[in-house]
Coordinates of all heavy atoms in Angstrom, one line a residue:
M23 N 101.1 108.7 105.7 CA 100.4 109.9 105.4 C 101.3 111.0 104.9 O 101.0 111.8 104.1 CB 99.7 110.4 106.7 CG 98.6 109.5 107.2 SD 97.3 109.4 106.0 CE 96.2 108.3 106.7
Y24 N 102.5 111.1 105.5 CA 103.4 112.2 105.0 C 104.2 111.8 103.8 O 104.7 110.7 103.7 CB 104.5 112.5 106.2 CG 105.5 113.5 105.8 CD1 105.2 114.8 105.7 CD2 106.8 113.1 105.5 CE1 106.2 115.8 105.4 CE2 107.8 114.0 105.1 CZ 107.4 115.4 105.1 OH 108.4 116.3 104.7
R25 N 104.1 112.6 102.8 CA 104.7 112.4 101.5 C 106.0 113.3 101.4 O 105.9 114.5 101.7 CB 103.8 112.6 100.3 CG 102.8 111.5 100.2 CD 101.9 111.7 99.1 NE 102.5 112.4 98.0 CZ 102.0 112.5 96.7 NH1 100.9 111.9 96.4 NH2 102.7 113.1 95.8
N26 N 107.0 112.7 100.9 CA 108.2 113.5 100.7 C 108.1 114.2 99.4 O 107.9 113.7 98.3 CB 109.5 112.6 100.6 CG 110.7 113.4 100.5 OD1 110.7 114.6 100.6 ND2 111.9 112.7 100.4
K27 N 108.0 115.6 99.5 CA 107.8 116.4 98.3 C 109.1 116.8 97.6 O 109.0 117.5 96.6 CB 107.0 117.7 98.7 CG 105.6 117.4 99.2 CD 104.9 118.6 99.5 CE 103.5 118.3 100.1 NZ 102.8 119.5 100.4
R28 N 110.2 116.3 98.0 CA 111.5 116.7 97.5 C 111.6 116.0 96.1 O 111.3 114.9 95.9 CB 112.6 116.2 98.3 CG 114.0 116.5 97.7 CD 115.1 116.0 98.6 NE 115.3 117.0 99.7 CZ 116.3 116.9 100.5 NH1 117.2 115.9 100.5 NH2 116.4 117.8 101.4
N29 N 112.1 116.8 95.1 CA 112.4 116.3 93.8 C 113.5 115.2 93.9 O 114.5 115.4 94.5 CB 112.8 117.4 92.9 CG 112.9 117.0 91.5 OD1 112.9 115.9 91.1 ND2 113.1 118.0 90.6
P30 N 113.2 114.0 93.2 CA 114.3 113.0 93.4 C 115.6 113.4 92.7 O 116.6 112.8 93.1 CB 113.6 111.8 92.6 CG 112.5 112.3 91.9 CD 112.0 113.5 92.5
L31 N 115.5 114.3 91.8 CA 116.8 114.7 91.1 C 117.7 115.5 92.2 O 118.9 115.6 91.9 CB 116.5 115.6 89.9 CG 115.8 114.9 88.8 CD1 115.5 115.8 87.6 CD2 116.6 113.7 88.3
V32 N 117.1 116.0 93.2 CA 117.9 116.8 94.2 C 118.8 115.9 94.9 O 120.0 116.2 95.1 CB 116.9 117.5 95.2 CG1 117.7 118.1 96.3 CG2 116.1 118.6 94.5
N33 N 118.4 114.7 95.2 CA 119.2 113.7 95.9 C 120.4 113.3 95.0 O 121.5 113.2 95.4 CB 118.4 112.4 96.3 CG 117.5 112.7 97.4 OD1 117.6 113.6 98.2 ND2 116.4 112.0 97.4
I34 N 120.1 113.1 93.7 CA 121.2 112.7 92.8 C 122.2 113.9 92.6 O 123.4 113.7 92.6 CB 120.6 112.4 91.4 CG1 119.7 111.1 91.6 CG2 121.6 112.2 90.3 CD1 118.9 110.8 90.3
S35 N 121.6 115.1 92.5 CA 122.5 116.3 92.4 C 123.4 116.5 93.7 O 124.6 116.7 93.5 CB 121.6 117.6 92.3 OG 120.9 117.5 91.1
I36 N 122.8 116.3 94.8 CA 123.6 116.4 96.1 C 124.7 115.3 96.1 O 125.9 115.6 96.4 CB 122.7 116.3 97.3 CG1 121.8 117.5 97.4 CG2 123.5 116.1 98.6 CD1 120.8 117.4 98.5
F37 N 124.4 114.1 95.7 CA 125.4 113.0 95.7 C 126.6 113.4 94.7 O 127.8 113.3 95.0 CB 124.8 111.7 95.2 CG 125.8 110.6 95.0 CD1 126.4 110.0 96.1 CD2 126.1 110.2 93.7 CE1 127.3 109.0 95.9 CE2 127.0 109.2 93.5 CZ 127.6 108.6 94.6
I38 N 126.2 113.9 93.5 CA 127.2 114.3 92.5 C 128.1 115.4 93.0 O 129.3 115.4 92.8 CB 126.6 114.6 91.2 CG1 126.0 113.3 90.5 CG2 127.5 115.2 90.2 CD1 125.1 113.6 89.3
L39 N 127.5 116.4 93.6 CA 128.2 117.5 94.1 C 129.1 117.1 95.3 O 130.3 117.6 95.3 CB 127.3 118.6 94.6 CG 126.5 119.3 93.4 CD1 125.5 120.3 94.0 CD2 127.5 120.1 92.6
I40 N 128.8 116.2 96.1 CA 129.6 115.7 97.2 C 130.8 115.0 96.6 O 131.9 115.1 97.0 CB 128.8 114.9 98.2 CG1 127.9 115.8 99.0 CG2 129.7 114.1 99.2 CD1 126.9 115.1 99.9
F41 N 130.5 114.1 95.6 CA 131.6 113.4 94.9 C 132.6 114.3 94.3 O 133.8 114.1 94.4 CB 130.9 112.4 93.9 CG 131.9 111.6 93.2 CD1 132.5 110.5 93.9 CD2 132.2 111.8 91.9 CE1 133.4 109.7 93.2 CE2 133.1 111.0 91.2 CZ 133.7 109.9 91.9
L42 N 132.1 115.4 93.6 CA 133.0 116.3 93.0 C 133.8 117.0 94.1 O 135.0 117.3 93.9 CB 132.2 117.3 92.1 CG 131.7 116.9 90.8 CD1 130.8 117.8 90.2 CD2 132.9 116.5 89.9
L43 N 133.2 117.4 95.2 CA 133.9 118.1 96.2 C 135.0 117.2 96.8 O 136.1 117.7 97.0 CB 132.9 118.4 97.4 CG 133.5 119.1 98.6 CD1 134.1 120.5 98.2 CD2 132.5 119.2 99.7
I44 N 134.8 115.9 97.0 CA 135.8 115.0 97.5 C 136.9 114.9 96.5 O 138.1 114.9 96.8 CB 135.2 113.5 97.7 CG1 134.3 113.6 98.9 CG2 136.2 112.5 97.9 CD1 133.4 112.4 99.1
I45 N 136.7 114.8 95.1 CA 137.7 114.8 94.2 C 138.6 116.0 94.2 O 139.8 115.9 94.2 CB 137.1 114.6 92.7 CG1 136.5 113.2 92.6 CG2 138.1 114.9 91.7 CD1 135.8 113.0 91.3
H46 N 138.0 117.2 94.4 CA 138.7 118.4 94.4 C 139.5 118.5 95.7 O 140.6 119.1 95.6 CB 137.8 119.6 94.2 CG 137.4 119.8 92.7 ND1 138.3 120.2 91.8 CD2 136.3 119.6 92.1 CE1 137.7 120.3 90.6 NE2 136.4 119.9 90.8
V47 N 139.0 118.1 96.8 CA 139.8 118.1 98.0 C 141.0 117.3 97.9 O 142.1 117.7 98.3 CB 138.9 117.7 99.2 CG1 139.7 117.5 100.5 CG2 137.8 118.8 99.5
I48 N 140.8 116.1 97.4 CA 142.0 115.2 97.2 C 143.0 115.8 96.3 O 144.2 115.8 96.5 CB 141.6 113.8 96.6 CG1 140.7 113.1 97.7 CG2 142.7 112.9 96.2 CD1 140.0 111.8 97.3
R49 N 142.5 116.4 95.2 CA 143.4 117.0 94.2 C 144.1 118.2 94.8 O 145.3 118.4 94.6 CB 142.6 117.5 93.0 CG 143.4 118.2 91.9 CD 142.6 118.4 90.7 NE 143.2 119.4 89.9 CZ 142.8 120.6 89.5 NH1 141.6 121.0 90.0 NH2 143.4 121.4 88.8
F50 N 143.4 118.9 95.7 CA 144.0 120.1 96.4 C 145.1 119.6 97.3 O 146.1 120.2 97.3 CB 142.9 120.8 97.2 CG 143.3 121.9 98.0 CD1 143.5 123.2 97.3 CD2 143.5 121.9 99.3 CE1 144.0 124.3 98.0 CE2 143.9 123.0 100.0 CZ 144.2 124.2 99.4
I51 N 144.8 118.5 98.0 CA 145.8 118.1 99.0 C 147.1 117.5 98.3 O 148.2 117.8 98.6 CB 145.2 117.0 99.9 CG1 144.2 117.6 100.8 CG2 146.3 116.2 100.7 CD1 143.4 116.6 101.6
L52 N 146.8 116.8 97.1 CA 148.0 116.2 96.4 C 148.9 117.3 95.7 O 150.1 117.1 95.5 CB 147.5 115.2 95.4 CG 146.9 113.9 95.9 CD1 146.3 113.1 94.7 CD2 147.9 113.2 96.7
H53 N 148.3 118.4 95.3 CA 149.0 119.4 94.6 C 149.3 120.6 95.5 O 149.8 121.7 94.9 CB 148.3 119.9 93.4 CG 148.2 118.8 92.3 ND1 147.1 117.9 92.3 CD2 149.0 118.4 91.4 CE1 147.3 117.1 91.3 NE2 148.4 117.3 90.8
A54 N 149.1 120.6 96.8 CA 149.4 121.7 97.7 C 150.9 121.9 97.8 O 151.7 121.0 97.9 CB 148.8 121.5 99.0
K55 N 151.3 123.2 97.7 CA 152.7 123.5 97.9 C 152.7 124.7 98.9 O 151.7 124.9 99.5 CB 153.3 124.0 96.6 CG 153.4 123.0 95.5 CD 154.1 123.5 94.3 CE 154.1 122.4 93.2 NZ 154.7 122.9 91.9
V56 N 153.8 125.3 99.1 CA 153.9 126.4 100.1 C 153.0 127.5 99.7 O 152.2 128.0 100.5 CB 155.3 126.9 100.3 CG1 155.4 128.1 101.2 CG2 156.3 125.7 100.7
Y57 N 153.0 127.9 98.5 CA 152.1 128.9 98.0 C 150.9 128.3 97.3 O 151.0 128.2 96.0 CB 152.8 129.9 97.1 CG 154.0 130.6 97.8 CD1 155.3 130.2 97.6 CD2 153.7 131.6 98.8 CE1 156.4 130.8 98.3 CE2 154.8 132.2 99.5 CZ 156.1 131.8 99.2 OH 157.1 132.4 99.9
I58 N 149.9 127.9 98.0 CA 148.8 127.1 97.3 C 148.1 128.0 96.3 O 147.8 127.4 95.2 CB 147.8 126.7 98.4 CG1 148.4 125.7 99.4 CG2 146.6 126.1 97.8 CD1 147.6 125.5 100.7
V59 N 147.8 129.2 96.5 CA 147.1 130.0 95.6 C 147.9 130.2 94.3 O 147.3 130.1 93.2 CB 146.7 131.4 96.2 CG1 146.1 132.3 95.2 CG2 145.8 131.2 97.4
Y60 N 149.2 130.4 94.4 CA 150.0 130.6 93.2 C 150.3 129.3 92.5 O 150.4 129.3 91.2 CB 151.3 131.3 93.6 CG 151.1 132.7 94.2 CD1 151.3 132.9 95.5 CD2 150.5 133.7 93.4 CE1 151.1 134.1 96.0 CE2 150.3 134.9 93.9 CZ 150.6 135.2 95.3 OH 150.4 136.4 95.8
S61 N 150.3 128.2 93.2 CA 150.6 126.9 92.4 C 149.4 126.4 91.7 O 149.5 125.8 90.7 CB 151.2 125.9 93.5 OG 150.3 125.6 94.4
M62 N 148.2 126.5 92.4 CA 147.1 125.9 91.7 C 146.2 127.0 91.0 O 145.4 126.6 90.2 CB 146.2 125.3 92.8 CG 146.7 124.0 93.3 SD 145.5 123.2 94.4 CE 144.2 122.9 93.4
G63 N 146.3 128.2 91.4 CA 145.4 129.2 90.9 C 144.1 129.3 91.7 O 143.9 128.5 92.6
L64 N 143.3 130.3 91.4 CA 142.1 130.4 92.3 C 140.9 129.6 91.8 O 140.0 129.4 92.5 CB 141.7 131.9 92.2 CG 142.6 132.9 93.0 CD1 142.1 134.3 92.8 CD2 142.6 132.5 94.5
G65 N 141.0 129.0 90.5 CA 139.9 128.3 90.0 C 139.4 127.1 90.8 O 138.2 127.1 91.1
P66 N 140.3 126.1 91.2 CA 139.8 125.1 92.0 C 139.3 125.5 93.4 O 138.3 124.9 93.9 CB 141.0 124.2 92.2 CG 141.9 124.5 91.1 CD 141.6 126.0 90.8
I67 N 139.9 126.5 94.0 CA 139.4 127.0 95.3 C 138.0 127.6 95.2 O 137.1 127.3 96.0 CB 140.4 128.0 95.9 CG1 141.7 127.3 96.2 CG2 139.9 128.6 97.1 CD1 142.8 128.2 96.5
L68 N 137.8 128.4 94.2 CA 136.5 129.0 93.9 C 135.5 127.9 93.5 O 134.3 127.9 94.0 CB 136.5 130.0 92.8 CG 137.3 131.3 93.1 CD1 137.4 132.1 91.9 CD2 136.7 131.9 94.3
L69 N 135.9 126.9 92.8 CA 135.0 125.8 92.4 C 134.6 125.0 93.6 O 133.4 124.6 93.8 CB 135.6 124.8 91.4 CG 134.8 123.7 90.8 CD1 133.6 124.4 90.1 CD2 135.6 122.9 89.8
M70 N 135.5 124.7 94.6 CA 135.1 124.1 95.8 C 134.1 124.8 96.6 O 133.1 124.4 97.2 CB 136.3 123.7 96.7 CG 137.1 122.6 96.2 SD 138.5 122.1 97.4 CE 139.7 123.3 97.0
G71 N 134.3 126.2 96.7 CA 133.3 127.0 97.3 C 132.0 127.0 96.7 O 131.0 126.9 97.4
L72 N 131.9 127.0 95.4 CA 130.7 126.9 94.7 C 130.0 125.6 94.9 O 128.8 125.5 95.1 CB 131.0 127.1 93.1 CG 129.7 127.0 92.3 CD1 128.8 128.1 92.5 CD2 130.1 127.0 90.8
I73 N 130.7 124.5 94.9 CA 130.1 123.2 95.2 C 129.6 123.1 96.6 O 128.5 122.6 96.8 CB 131.2 122.0 95.0 CG1 131.5 121.9 93.5 CG2 130.7 120.7 95.5 CD1 132.7 121.0 93.2
V74 N 130.3 123.6 97.6 CA 129.7 123.7 99.0 C 128.5 124.5 99.0 O 127.5 124.1 99.7 CB 130.8 124.2 99.9 CG1 130.2 124.4 101.3 CG2 132.0 123.2 100.0
F75 N 128.5 125.6 98.4 CA 127.3 126.5 98.3 C 126.1 125.8 97.7 O 125.0 125.8 98.2 CB 127.6 127.8 97.6 CG 126.4 128.7 97.3 CD1 125.8 129.3 98.4 CD2 125.8 128.7 96.1 CE1 124.7 130.2 98.2 CE2 124.7 129.5 95.9 CZ 124.1 130.2 96.9
L76 N 126.4 125.1 96.6 CA 125.3 124.4 95.9 C 124.7 123.2 96.7 O 123.5 123.0 96.8 CB 125.7 123.9 94.6 CG 125.9 124.9 93.5 CD1 126.5 124.3 92.2 CD2 124.6 125.7 93.1
I77 N 125.6 122.5 97.4 CA 125.1 121.4 98.3 C 124.2 122.0 99.4 O 123.1 121.5 99.7 CB 126.3 120.7 99.0 CG1 127.1 119.9 97.9 CG2 125.9 119.8 100.1 CD1 128.3 119.3 98.3
V78 N 124.6 123.1 100.1 CA 123.8 123.7 101.1 C 122.5 124.2 100.5 O 121.5 124.0 101.1 CB 124.6 124.8 101.8 CG1 123.8 125.5 102.8 CG2 125.8 124.1 102.6
Y79 N 122.6 124.9 99.5 CA 121.4 125.5 98.8 C 120.4 124.4 98.4 O 119.2 124.5 98.7 CB 121.8 126.3 97.5 CG 120.6 126.8 96.8 CD1 119.9 127.9 97.2 CD2 120.3 126.2 95.6 CE1 118.9 128.4 96.6 CE2 119.2 126.8 94.9 CZ 118.5 127.8 95.4 OH 117.4 128.3 94.7
L80 N 120.9 123.3 97.8 CA 119.9 122.2 97.4 C 119.3 121.5 98.6 O 118.2 121.1 98.6 CB 120.7 121.2 96.5 CG 120.9 121.7 95.1 CD1 121.8 120.7 94.3 CD2 119.7 122.0 94.3
Y81 N 120.2 121.4 99.6 CA 119.6 120.7 100.9 C 118.6 121.6 101.5 O 117.5 121.1 101.9 CB 120.8 120.4 101.8 CG 120.4 119.6 103.0 CD1 120.1 118.4 103.0 CD2 120.3 120.3 104.2 CE1 119.7 117.6 104.1 CE2 119.8 119.6 105.4 CZ 119.6 118.3 105.3 OH 119.1 117.6 106.4
L82 N 118.8 122.8 101.7 CA 117.8 123.7 102.3 C 116.6 124.0 101.4 O 115.5 124.1 102.0 CB 118.5 125.1 102.7 CG 119.6 125.0 103.7 CD1 120.2 126.3 103.9 CD2 119.1 124.4 105.0
K83 N 116.8 124.0 100.1 CA 115.6 124.2 99.2 C 114.8 123.0 99.2 O 113.5 123.1 99.1 CB 116.1 124.5 97.8 CG 115.1 124.9 96.8 CD 115.6 125.2 95.5 CE 114.4 125.4 94.5 NZ 114.9 125.6 93.2
G84 N 115.4 121.7 99.2 CA 114.6 120.5 99.1 C 113.8 120.2 100.3 O 112.8 119.8 100.4

């Protein structure tokens, strides 16, 4: 009786975002130095934050 009203593309989007997050976390760990912000720049750190935000947003919206 209960139908799942979630868009099927949301599940695919969440999977892709989690995969990208894992890639960036591994990249972050491999390239970490004493001064992480100066060695990598703020781009990957902000991108990881954006990916986490999008995962939470899509999960709560769906």
